[in-house]
Amino acid sequence: MKFSAYNQSDKQQIKKLFESVFSESEALGEGILIAGLVIDLMNTTKDQDIFGFVARDKDKIIGCIFFTRLSFNTPIEAFILSPVAVDTKYQRKGIGQKLINYGLGVLKKNGVQLAFTYGDPHYYSKVGFSSIDEDVVKAPHYLTQPEGCCANH
Ligand SMILES: CC(C)(COP(=O)(O)OP(=O)(O)OC[C@H]1O[C@@H](n2cnc3c(N)ncnc32)[C@H](O)[C@@H]1OP(=O)(O)O)[C@@H](O)C(=O)NCCC(=O)NCCS
């Protein structure tokens, strides 16, 4: 298993990974939607505003995560982790946690002080995130499940 930043040549494999993982975990429409979002993120985000990391088993991409920049009124380096996918056949083997920890390590080396995410606090607490109240940091959009807002610093 190897972890690294993604390359331009990985884009199609990454798109397929998100499409299949979210089609299986949610629904076909969701898989297509998330895969489209991921392609847009890779194609339209400035290099300084995005980090993407992949896990490879030989040449096959089996996991992928993205962090994109969040801007606040104060000068702080903050990124949001989303989305995250691990190939269905490789899930529950610790790959998601290893990949997130790898990504957080690279962010820290690049001076990023804060990472946020929005998801299952039980899962994200395994990689150092804890729930954060909207009184502390206001989410950029209305959240149906505000308890899913987590921070890592
Ligand atoms: C969520 C996901 C990235 C986790 O990756 P993973 O490599 O399977 O996770 P790990 O093996 O590192 O960690 C395992 C833990 O994650 C949690 N977990 C994994 N899959 C889960 C799922 N489908 N539902 C709830 N919790 C899950 C559990 O707490 C599990 O621990 P346990 O086996 O002791 O109960 C992966 O399951 C996935 O791609 N799911 C579909 C897409 C998704 O929901 N992405 C997150 C939102 S963007």
Side-chain angles (χ1 to χ4, degrees):
M1 185 81 46
K2 264 180 63 186
F3 301 102
S4 67
Y6 80 97
N7 300 312
Q8 291 299 314
S9 57
D10 294 330
K11 282 184 180 174
Q12 280 313 308
Q13 255 201 87
I14 290 173
K15 178 177 182 243
K16 283 199 181 120
L17 173 75
F18 279 95
E19 195 171 304
S20 70
V21 169
F22 279 88
S23 294
E24 286 181 52
S25 73
E26 308 286 331
L28 178 61
E30 187 80 1
I32 292 168
L33 193 81
I34 302 284
L37 170 77
V38 163
I39 283 289
D40 280 353
L41 272 185
M42 291 189 286
N43 287 344
T44 63
T45 313
K46 290 185 190 140
D47 285 351
Q48 67 265 31
D49 294 336
I50 185 167
F51 290 91
F53 303 101
V54 291
R56 281 177 225 268
D57 184 12
K58 303 199 176 79
D59 285 341
K60 186 179 152 85
I61 292 178
I62 52 136
C64 183
I65 59 174
F66 286 96
F67 294 88
T68 45
R69 186 180 295 279
L70 275 178
S71 299
F72 294 93
N73 291 331
T74 48
I76 188 157
E77 291 280 306
F79 279 74
I80 184 159
L81 167 62
S82 180
V84 178
V86 172
D87 186 316
T88 313
K89 293 187 207 78
Y90 290 79
Q91 288 179 7
R92 294 206 126 112
K93 297 177 193 292
I95 295 165
Q97 290 170 66
K98 282 189 189 139
L99 183 57
I100 294 169
N101 280 325
Y102 175 83
L104 288 169
V106 176
L107 261 66
K108 279 220 168 83
K109 279 189 196 143
N110 282 273
V112 178
Q113 296 139 300
L114 261 173
F116 293 92
T117 196
Y118 178 55
D120 180 353
H122 172 70
Y123 180 66
Y124 289 103
S125 69
K126 291 172 188 271
V127 282
F129 285 82
S130 47
S131 289
I132 183 163
D133 199 280
E134 279 215 71
D135 291 342
V136 181
V137 178
K138 184 94 186 83
H141 297 288
Y142 167 72
L143 302 177
T144 51
Q145 293 179 297
E147 65 279 9
C149 207
C150 303
N152 182 308
H153 51 93

